[in-house]
Amino acid sequence: MRALQEFHRRSLHDRDAFWTEQAKMVHWEKPFTKVLDYSRPPFAKWFVGGETNLCYNAVDRHLRDRAGQKALVWISTEVDREKSYTYREMHEEVQRAAAMMVALGVGKGDRVIIYMPNIPEAVFAILACARIGAVHSVVFGGFAAASLAARIDDAKPKLMVTADGGSRMGKVLPYKALVDESIRLARHPPAHVLIFRRGLDADMPVVAGRDVDWAGLAAKHAGAQVPCTWLEASEPSYILYTSGTTGKPKGVQRDVGGHAVAMAASMQHIYCGHAGETIFTTSDIGWAVGHSYIIYAPLIAGMTSILYEGVPVRPDAGVWWKIVQDYRVSVMFSAPTAIRVLKKHDLAWLKKYDLSSLRHLFLAGEPLDEPTHAWISQGLDKPVIDHYWQTETGWPILSAMPGVEPTPIKFGSPSFAVYGYDLKLLRETDASEAGPGEKAVVVIEPPLPPGCMTTIWGDDERFVKTYFSTFSKKQVYSTFDWGIRDKDGYYFILGRTDDVINVAGHRLGTREIEEAVNMHSNIAECAVVGVADALKGQMPLAFAVAKDASKLGSIEGRKAFEKEIMDTVDKQLGAIARPKAVHLVTLLPKTRSGKTLRRAIQALAEGRDPGDLTTIEDPGALEQLKAALAARSA
């Protein structure tokens, strides 16, 4: 691993030379004058003074050599359609979408919220924002109106782009109704809503003067030519909201230049994806993976990217592998949860199709357990690379890097620290470095490398307080994950140190879910914890105290009450945040100072020893929890 170690060493100790080399992979309209400005820790500015444009790098610069190559292939098993766009056609569609936005008053620095399913028009809208210097904020289509309203009020968008509906497992999801409700709730609603009609909601209401039909406006801008707006490297490219330990979501802000360089470099050094090849990333565009490895990185690299709308087992458990065969996919990126779903099906589905084009399968989103890692590796007979990263970083923190040097894979491990990341494992007690095999907090010594978040949108103070204040003695970026490193230098991620849970790769704050549960009129208080789940990694579990329990004595009454709570959470946050179960108790375990003992609750729910409980106010609360859990499992 000598080459890999030297590559990593140079990225930290010869930063200017190293990142100048990586920056050559993208187009600069104006050269940068300084690689890194770290004069105001922990805020890092990369490629200072340089001007570039993400859309130009993803689309325009490929027109000379690969205009006729497919840039995007859309495959929907939900509506049974496929459509592809060459780089030339993509250029035309993005310019038209950009012209539509300009006509609706959007310009450089304005925010545009995109609330759409995995359809080509969503990609056009994202790249159109990048083209004109607008800041896009893509919101996952599964979020409820209240969650969308919170993002509207934080971003204060000039425009929202949506569709009449999405689809999952053949069930239509009416997006427009959610958008209307979110705007009713928001204090800073957008001036216009641009709506792409898919024909999924024939009764979709339209608000005169605000709502604009995509097809009608697009017809007016056919053949539009919209030049790229050149942006200084540190200007914002997008906001992507992520959950935290407080109810208010955090707007992760990404820059332009650092993001472009990080995407280009990672595609070469980690994913080994080359111009003219095909990548299949199974994520949703509303997540960081979708931003980075469906859209920006593959297109910057000149690849063909597959945009998939559907699930891994419909029409059957071979659908993904058929796509790999039919489109000669070289690089595939998915999540451990999806592989655990496929693991329930016959291994023959992996053997049915010609997968000879596939070089690597990458998995990320939540910890990958060793049995699942072994199962998919043996089934594919291909290298399966577990790697670890966050919405905040935008690209991998830990990974094997076959583009630098092939290394042996250890099942269940995301391998090594990626170039640019000065990774440490620090003891929670005194911020000293942990030894091999010792559980500690995974942190990054700043400055964060290019492509990572630059701040929290509109809140520099929260950025520092949230991510750089875990340890009083050291200003380091905390991932809020526990990890260990073995004697061979391989890392293993063990789970969260805070109250954020990871449901199939989707991060949810327990505080957010508690607030949603508390919206029910008959809830006095509740505690939500994340518990281990064989399929999704973790699931939220709620323990609630009712204000009036007189009607909850019967099984039917308790079931009806639980359903009402579930419906309340669905309405506030969306089904993605729905608890696995709601346990009714008369009191929650708390310390004498009033702090809820969430770690003890989680331990009991997972069948573990709750540890030291000498500070508990009423031991009877724990007995209630045990009884409630036992009754549920009986």
Side-chain angles (χ1 to χ4, degrees), residues 59-60 63 87-95 131:
V59 182
D60 298 59
L63 296 177
Y87 272 95
R88 182 185 297 109
E89 291 166 337
M90 176 82 88
H91 187 238
E92 294 168 357
E93 293 290 352
V94 170
Q95 287 194 100
R131 189 172 196 87

Side-chain angles (χ1 to χ4, degrees), residues 24 53 89 94 111 138 167 181 192 194 231 258 289 327-328 347 366 374 419 459 479 516 527 538 559 602 620:
K24 292 176 182 176
N53 182 284
E89 291 166 337
V94 170
R111 276 77 65 203
V138 185
S167 178
E181 176 64 9
H192 294 288
L194 182 60
L231 302 172
V289 171
Y327 288 92
R328 306 296 295 163
L347 191 64
E366 74 263 18
Y419 55 91
D459 201 339
T479 66
Q538 282 187 301
K559 284 185 176 179
Q602 183 186 47

Side-chain angles (χ1 to χ4, degrees), residues 428-505:
E428 194 176 31
T429 52
D430 60 2
S432 59
E433 286 201 50
E438 184 181 353
K439 177 181 173 181
V441 182
V442 181
V443 306
I444 302 164
E445 290 269 8
L448 296 178
C452 291
M453 70 184 299
T454 54
T455 189
I456 290 174
W457 175 257
D459 201 339
D460 286 354
E461 183 180 348
R462 190 181 180 195
F463 172 65
V464 177
K465 185 177 179 181
T466 300
Y467 295 104
F468 293 90
S469 303
T470 298
F471 299 96
S472 59
K473 297 179 181 178
K474 291 185 178 180
Q475 189 180 62
V476 293
Y477 171 91
S478 177
T479 66
F480 301 104
D481 278 310
W482 296 109
I484 61 171
R485 184 177 57 248
D486 69 12
K487 59 182 176 56
D488 300 319
Y490 285 76
Y491 287 85
F492 294 80
I493 299 298
L494 306 177
R496 300 289 291 182
T497 65
D498 62 5
D499 292 326
V500 171
I501 59 178
N502 194 322
V503 183

